[in-house]
């Protein structure tokens, strides 16, 4: 950082000149006449939307194939900055990535993107990687938001984009900033990879012990004294729920927790996203269930996932609620068994979303060792699950903190006093 300050004092003592992009770059569009995208065969390579959206630097070794009618189009080269021109979210317009490595063969740009290239007279005084980093700064993103157009789908016009301004400090300052930001970008990526690897290792360890501890021999045999029973045989009650009439707003203005299937995902339920009123409960098939029921999602993306309610609540009709008989089974053992059996239970579903029904859940078999053995197994697995859950909860927060710190310093590095020349 001290070197950068010295460079700024030496090369930019009176501030930095800002220039409209149109003065220093030219824009170009993506290819046309495209067919056979993302197929193994094709007559060209191309960079698509995700290559740009997911990367600061385009990895030219991981490109897609396409077929175009006319190969006499804009081809990409080192130093090109590629940008998204449309998105469902305004903030995702003008997301950029730069090509920093040589491209051996002709590579084209997808038609959902556009590119900019330095004019020849600026190729020796402006660093494309610096410009690309500046495009990520909060200062520049504020400019972008002012030119975004659209209602349900948002877009920017390249011509409007070229009216935006960028700072042009000396090349020495630009290259030092790129060096610093490259270091911190790589450091953040390494930390994220390390945290993800740790989380994955904990998940695999948990699943290993879960499978080992719940590896009872086939029905009718085995070294442990277990009895195989249907879910219906170990439950005091099995219910589903209901949805109050959505046109009656007063039904959703209460304080009764109402659980939907999208909230069922291998964890304890301590609260619900939605609440209903006493009137909503009375005028629907929703029913209150006691704490420590094992709840199985029957429909949608979470079909066959399970959860445990730690508060009294009611559910929608897509939940199957198992009130476990404590004289026959320990509810956390049942939960852990169904977690292990997720893929098998889901496979019994029907349709594209693998929907299951309460009959299949009631008839699903579970090994039932002694209650003491159930509690021992559940206690071990609960400890592993808590460790994994803590990591999974803490990981996004830690990554977000690293990203926030990185963005703070990036914005500081890319903030320049404006010289009188560009004032």
């Amino acid at each position: 950082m001290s070197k950068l300050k010295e460079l700024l004092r030496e090369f930019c003592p009176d501030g930095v000149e800002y220039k409209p992009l149109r003065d220093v770059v030219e824009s170009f569009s993506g290819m046309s006449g495209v067919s056979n995208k993302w197929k193994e065969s094709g007559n060209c390579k191309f960079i698509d939307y995700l290559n740009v959206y997911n990367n600061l630097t385009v990895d030219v070794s991981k490109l897609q194939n396409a077929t175009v009618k006319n190969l006499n189009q804009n081809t990409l080269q080192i130093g090109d900055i590629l940008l998204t021109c449309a998105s469902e979210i305004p903030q995702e317009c003008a997301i950029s990535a730069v090509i920093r490595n040589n491209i051996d063969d002709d590579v084209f740009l997808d038609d959902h993107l556009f590119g900019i290239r330095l004019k020849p007279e600026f190729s020796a005084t402006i660093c494309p990687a610096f410009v690309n980093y500046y495009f990520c700064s909060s200062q520049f993103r504020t400019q972008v938001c002012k030119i975004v157009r659209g209602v349900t789908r948002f877009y920017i016009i390249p011509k409007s984009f070229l009216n935006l301004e960028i700072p042009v400090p000396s090349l020495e300052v630009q290259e030092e900033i790129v060096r610093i930001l490259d270091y911190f970008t790589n450091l953040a990526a390494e930390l994220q990879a390390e945290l993800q690897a740790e989380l994955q290792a904990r998940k695999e360890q948990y699943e290993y012990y879960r499978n080992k501890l719940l590896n009872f021999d086939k029905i009718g045999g085995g070294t442990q004294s277990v009895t195989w029973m249907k879910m219906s045989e170990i439950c005091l009650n099995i219910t589903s729920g209901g949805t109050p009439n959505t046109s009656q707003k007063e039904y959703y203005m209460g304080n009764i927790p109402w659980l939907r299937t999208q909230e069922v995902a291998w964890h304890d339920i301590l609260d619900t996203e939605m609440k209903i009123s006493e009137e909503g409960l009375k005028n629907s098939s929703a029913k209150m269930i006691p704490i420590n029921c094992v709840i199985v999602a029957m429909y949608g993306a979470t079909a066959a996932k399970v959860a445990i309610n730690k508060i009294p609540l009611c559910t929608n009709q897509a939940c199957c609620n198992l009130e476990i008989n404590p004289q026959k089974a320990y509810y956390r053992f049942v939960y852990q068994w169904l977690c292990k059996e997720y893929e098998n239970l889901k496979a019994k579903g029907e349709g594209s979303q693998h929907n299951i029904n309460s009959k299949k859940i009631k008839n699903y078999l579970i090994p039932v060792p002694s209650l003491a053995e159930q509690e021992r197994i559940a206690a071990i697995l609960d400890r592993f699950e808590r460790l994994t859950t803590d990591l999974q909860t803490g990981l996004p927060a830690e990554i977000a903190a690293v990203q926030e710190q990185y963005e703070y310093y990036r914005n500081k590095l890319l903030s320049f006093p404006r010289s009188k020349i560009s004032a």
Side-chain angles (χ1 to χ4, degrees):
M1 296 293 284
S2 58
K3 181 180 177 181
L4 179 60
K5 289 181 180 178
E6 291 174 6
L7 290 171
L8 285 167
R9 280 196 298 266
E10 179 180 354
F11 294 104
C12 310
D14 300 318
V16 171
E17 182 181 3
Y18 282 70
K19 291 180 177 289
L21 280 166
R22 65 175 180 273
D23 289 354
V24 298
V25 303
E26 296 174 334
S27 67
F28 56 91
S29 59
M31 58 190 182
S32 58
V34 186
S35 62
N36 202 31
K37 272 189 185 181
W38 302 290
K39 302 292 184 181
E40 291 184 6
S41 60
N43 61 1
C44 73
K45 297 278 188 181
F46 77 102
I47 293 175
D48 71 357
Y49 188 96
L50 291 179
N51 293 138
V52 172
Y53 182 80
N54 292 328
N55 301 282
L56 270 172
T57 302
V58 174
D59 187 348
V60 295
S61 67
K62 298 178 180 179
L63 300 182
Q64 308 292 342
N65 294 307
T67 301
V68 295
K69 294 179 181 178
N70 178 14
L71 287 173
N72 186 25
Q73 301 187 54
N74 294 311
T75 55
L76 300 176
Q77 60 189 43
I78 189 170
D80 287 347
I81 301 175
L82 316 176
L83 300 110
T84 62
C85 53
S87 176
E88 284 79 17
I89 303 173
Q91 292 81 0
E92 292 182 355
C93 293
I95 299 296
S96 65
V98 65
I99 299 175
R100 295 176 69 170
N101 299 316
N102 283 318
I103 300 177
D104 296 330
D105 302 318
D106 286 348
V107 174
F108 299 86
L109 188 63
D110 192 15
D111 54 357
H112 291 98
L113 305 164
F114 73 98
I116 58 173
R117 180 177 297 162
L118 288 171
K119 292 179 179 179
E121 60 267 34
F122 289 99
S123 61
T125 56
I126 294 180
C127 174
F130 168 80
V131 176
N132 187 58
Y133 273 128
Y134 187 74
F135 285 173
C136 300
S137 69
S138 61
Q139 302 93 302
F140 189 77
R141 299 310 302 172
T142 299
Q143 291 189 66
V144 170
C145 288
K146 294 177 181 178
I147 63 167
V148 173
R149 299 291 180 265
V151 179
T152 58
R153 184 168 177 80
F154 302 90
Y155 63 93
I156 58 171
I157 300 170
K159 185 176 180 181
S160 300
F161 182 79
L162 294 184
N163 289 329
L164 304 183
E165 290 185 325
I166 61 168
V168 186
S170 70
L171 186 61
E172 291 85 354
V173 169
Q174 294 177 47
E175 289 176 343
E176 178 62 9
I177 289 174
V178 168
R179 185 191 68 80
I180 294 170
L181 289 177
D182 280 351
Y183 173 78
F184 283 110
T185 299
N186 293 332
L187 192 65
E190 289 172 8
L191 177 58
Q192 182 171 346
E194 184 179 323
L195 293 170
Q196 291 284 9
E198 184 178 356
L199 177 61
Q200 184 60 33
R202 291 294 179 269
K203 283 182 175 179
E204 290 175 1
Q205 189 178 36
Y206 164 59
E207 290 173 1
Y208 169 81
Y209 282 106
R210 186 182 65 192
N211 292 338
K212 195 171 184 66
L213 286 166
L214 295 174
N215 185 26
F216 299 97
D217 286 341
K218 293 182 179 180
I219 299 172
T223 56
Q224 297 190 56
S225 177
V226 297
T227 303
W228 288 82
M229 304 176 73
K230 295 178 181 178
M231 285 291 169
S232 59
E233 296 178 284
I234 62 165
C235 292
L236 293 173
N237 200 14
I238 298 178
T239 62
S240 59
T243 299
N245 190 334
T246 55
S247 65
Q248 301 295 320
K249 292 183 179 180
E250 65 272 17
Y251 289 175
Y252 293 88
M253 298 174 67
N255 57 7
I256 298 173
W258 180 65
L259 184 72
R260 298 170 298 162
T261 47
Q262 53 262 53
E263 299 173 71
V264 178
W266 298 310
H267 59 87
D268 288 350
I269 304 295
L270 303 174
D271 197 5
T272 59
E273 293 176 0
M274 298 188 69
K275 307 291 191 297
I276 62 173
S277 63
E278 289 285 354
E279 292 77 13
L281 182 65
K282 292 176 182 177
N283 290 283
S284 72
S285 55
K287 306 173 187 67
M288 295 298 296
I289 60 173
I291 63 170
N292 296 335
C293 287
V294 179
I295 301 170
V296 186
M298 294 189 288
Y299 315 146
T302 58
K305 292 184 180 182
V306 293
I308 294 173
N309 64 307
K310 304 306 289 186
I311 57 171
L313 52 75
C314 57
T315 73
N316 69 8
Q317 65 275 14
C319 293
C320 183
N321 310 311
L322 309 177
E323 184 182 350
I324 308 302
N325 185 341
Q327 302 301 316
K328 294 186 176 181
Y330 180 45
Y331 73 96
R332 294 211 66 90
F333 175 83
V334 178
Y335 164 80
Q336 291 288 358
W337 173 255
L338 287 174
C339 286
K340 171 186 175 293
E341 291 293 296
Y342 167 69
E343 294 292 348
N344 293 329
L345 182 57
K346 185 179 178 182
K348 293 183 176 295
E350 300 173 354
S352 59
Q353 293 187 315
H354 298 277
N355 293 339
I356 54 181
N357 56 47
S358 59
K359 183 178 179 181
K360 291 178 179 179
I361 296 170
K362 290 175 182 177
N363 290 329
Y364 203 80
L365 293 172
I366 180 172
V368 185
S370 69
L371 284 170
E373 180 66 7
Q374 292 180 47
E375 291 175 4
R376 184 188 75 84
I377 291 171
I380 295 170
L381 294 178
D382 282 350
R383 284 197 294 272
F384 275 111
E385 186 180 41
R386 278 194 296 272
L387 177 60
T388 304
T389 301
D390 288 346
L391 281 170
Q392 202 159 9
T393 301
L395 178 63
E398 191 165 351
I399 291 174
V402 170
Q403 184 67 20
E404 185 177 348
Q405 186 179 38
Y406 164 74
E407 290 175 1
Y408 171 79
Y409 284 110
R410 183 185 64 197
N411 291 335
K412 292 280 285 184
L413 282 169
L414 295 169
S415 297
F416 304 97
R418 186 181 288 265
S419 71
K420 292 180 180 180
I421 297 175
S422 56

